[in-house]
Amino acid sequence: MTTLFKENEKFNRTFLLKAISSGKTRGGKPFVTLTLGTPQQDFEGRLWDTDLETLPSLLPGDPVNAAGTAVLYQERIQLKVDRIAGETSAIDPRSLYPSSEFSEEELGISWRKWVKKITDENLNALFAAIERDGAFMKDFLRSPAAVTMHHARIGGLAEHSLGVCALAGAVGEKYTWLRPDILIAGALLHDIGKVREYEIARAFQVSTEGRLMGHIALGIPMLKSYIEKVPGFPEALALELYHIILSHHGKLELGSPKAPSIPEALVVHYADDLDAKLDMLRASRISSSREGAGDPPGEYVRGLGRFFLFPGDEKPVIRKNPSGKTGADDQGKLF
Ligand SMILES: [Fe+2]
Ligand SMILES: [Fe+2]
């Protein structure tokens, strides 16, 4: 398995502190054990001859600056830390947390590309009102789509919403009696409540309003506030968009108070489900391609409740994606 640090390599960088505890060697000397997170992988760190009392107060979830040397211990890289302190400089979340391979700018360009396809003037005015809310757009393009499970990364919400849009748009090209404007608007907006459901404070976490209301209920007043900025926005059109948000999980047991009851809502529901599940498989496929996986590589996919094999995958997974770029995965181009 590739690792960020080579044996004997010096490091001095920001990590996300994920765990901290103290211990004693057999000889009675104190040491501190740390789990230091990077967007790519976590590392075990050790501070020798130190106990928690002599360290500055650090809590799991804190960004920290640590310096030291990478050492090989039991065939794994361990970080021997000489100095650690809370990170005081401004931090780009992408340097701490897993993030989309697409930049905010790329995600924003893709969003615009889809919005431009909409021809209905009321929907155009609605998206103009949404895009005027710079704070919302910034959050939308940064937010994860989940804490774990699918698209749990910076930019994951936009990536997922654009993925749903691409799938729903493809269905609309085959079934031409569906209304493309409703498919696009519904797909882009179906999860807007997630901007408030999740926060990037100490790791990705569910906000209080997310815990008490969930993104489906949060999405309705958010969308309503933008609709109210468009004079004369048709009530029937507003209801259809609310319905797509309310029904996109498909059934009550999965959090939707209404089952999809217009054709475009059914499409957004299945596109949402497929995009989420494919992302779970993608994440599992990457981890199953690591050393030690079976042949063919396989992985239990918790979100789907069963074991998946990835026949044909080589170890490590290096393929050419459709753009011809070679990468550690083959997610491909951005829609
Ligand atoms: Fe959702
Ligand atoms: Fe979704």
Side-chain angles (χ1 to χ4, degrees), residues 160 190-191 194 215-216 248-249 272:
H160 166 59
H190 81 280
D191 265 343
K194 287 189 171 178
H215 68 274
I216 288 182
H248 79 264
H249 285 195
D272 177 51

Side-chain angles (χ1 to χ4, degrees), residues 111-132 181-182 184-185 188-189 226 229-230 233-234 237 241:
W111 160 283
R112 281 291 327 144
K113 200 186 89 187
W114 281 106
V115 169
K116 271 190 178 164
K117 291 180 197 268
I118 296 175
T119 56
D120 179 90
E121 59 182 26
N122 287 299
L123 288 174
N124 280 329
L126 172 63
F127 277 92
I130 292 171
E131 288 171 2
R132 274 197 300 277
D181 281 359
I182 304 294
I184 295 170
L188 291 180
L189 300 175
Y226 295 119
K229 291 189 165 70
V230 182
F233 195 91
L237 182 56
L241 297 180

Side-chain angles (χ1 to χ4, degrees), residues 28-208:
K29 290 193 167 181
F31 65 88
V32 172
T33 301
L34 311 153
T35 304
L36 296 167
T38 73
Q40 294 79 23
Q41 64 191 112
D42 294 346
F43 292 91
E44 186 174 295
R46 286 284 161 90
L47 270 152
W48 297 106
D49 299 318
T50 308
D51 56 28
L52 289 176
E53 285 71 48
T54 52
L55 279 181
S57 170
L58 297 170
L59 293 169
D62 283 344
V64 294
N65 186 281
T69 311
V71 296
L72 201 59
Y73 177 69
Q74 293 183 342
E75 296 181 27
R76 301 183 70 168
I77 288 291
Q78 189 181 76
L79 302 182
K80 182 178 158 295
V81 178
D82 301 325
R83 184 182 54 71
I84 185 167
E87 181 61 80
T88 48
S89 51
I91 301 158
D92 175 358
R94 282 183 177 245
S95 70
L96 280 185
Y97 303 104
S99 54
S100 168
E101 67 187 277
F102 302 107
S103 68
E104 269 174 52
E105 196 191 0
E106 287 172 315
L107 293 165
I109 288 169
S110 190
W111 160 283
R112 281 291 327 144
K113 200 186 89 187
W114 281 106
V115 169
K116 271 190 178 164
K117 291 180 197 268
I118 296 175
T119 56
D120 179 90
E121 59 182 26
N122 287 299
L123 288 174
N124 280 329
L126 172 63
F127 277 92
I130 292 171
E131 288 171 2
R132 274 197 300 277
D133 184 350
F136 167 79
M137 287 306 298
K138 193 171 164 201
D139 286 347
F140 181 82
L141 295 173
R142 276 198 177 176
S143 183
V147 171
T148 56
M149 303 298 259
H150 75 96
H151 298 90
R153 51 187 177 264
I154 303 280
L157 174 59
E159 219 185 297
H160 166 59
S161 304
L162 291 163
V164 174
C165 202
L167 291 171
V171 173
E173 282 181 20
K174 159 78 178 153
Y175 299 92
T176 51
W177 53 271
L178 293 164
R179 295 166 301 165
D181 281 359
I182 304 294
L183 289 173
I184 295 170
L188 291 180
L189 300 175
H190 81 280
D191 265 343
I192 54 170
K194 287 189 171 178
V195 166
R196 283 167 56 181
E197 183 174 37
Y198 302 118
E199 51 194 22
I200 311 167
R202 293 176 168 275
F204 298 161
Q205 62 187 31
V206 182
S207 64
T208 303

Side-chain angles (χ1 to χ4, degrees), residues 16-35:
L16 185 67
L17 181 63
K18 293 195 166 175
I20 181 165
S21 61
S22 59
K24 284 210 167 126
T25 64
R26 280 193 203 133
K29 290 193 167 181
F31 65 88
V32 172
T33 301
L34 311 153
T35 304

